Amino acid sequence: MQNLGVLTGGYNYSQALSINEWGEAVGECGYINLEGTIESRGAFIWTAVKGMQDLNTLVVNLPAGVSLACAYGINRNGWIVGVGYFTDSLGLHRRPFLLSPIAGLAHLQLLLLD
């Protein structure tokens, strides 16, 4: 068991939800207020070399208004699944995501697939 820490930016908890055979872990960080309500979330990846990184900062084509909230799984090839949120004129919506590493670029640059 290992403490992975939390992302910077005011988060006060984290939980890893999946780990692959290379030891890369994914999950969510968040901020829980004094009443126990989750006020914000952010999806992360953790590696032994780079530590915890916010997936929102690693996606090269993340559309404006989209926030990756929780990463639920990572496979041996680095593909990550999870859920995010986006806002449009009808309000706030949940949406699943699939991230794929971009061949030939840095290991953690990811592509959001539709």
Side-chain angles (χ1 to χ4, degrees):
M1 195 174 246
Q2 180 172 342
N3 183 345
L4 303 181
V6 294
L7 291 172
T8 59
Y11 295 116
N12 62 5
Y13 85 92
S14 67
Q15 62 179 343
L17 298 171
S18 180
I19 188 168
N20 65 14
E21 65 190 74
W22 311 116
E24 299 167 319
V26 295
E28 72 172 345
C29 279
Y31 175 76
I32 299 176
N33 64 24
L34 294 175
E35 290 79 38
T37 304
I38 298 173
E39 291 187 4
S40 61
R41 289 186 175 150
F44 74 81
I45 183 168
W46 180 92
T47 66
V49 173
K50 295 194 175 184
M52 188 176 287
Q53 294 179 280
D54 185 344
L55 287 176
N56 288 283
T57 65
L58 300 176
V59 176
V60 297
N61 68 333
L62 191 64
V66 173
S67 175
L68 306 180
C70 184
Y72 289 109
I74 183 169
N75 71 10
R76 69 183 326 227
N77 297 316
W79 291 59
I80 300 169
V81 295
V83 67
Y85 295 95
F86 72 95
T87 304
D88 63 14
S89 61
L90 300 176
L92 183 67
H93 308 278
R94 284 177 55 125
R95 182 175 176 191
F97 66 79
L98 172 64
L99 302 177
S100 170
I102 300 171
L105 296 179
H107 175 69
L108 291 176
Q109 287 188 309
L110 302 165
L111 179 65
L112 179 65
L113 303 177
D114 268 329

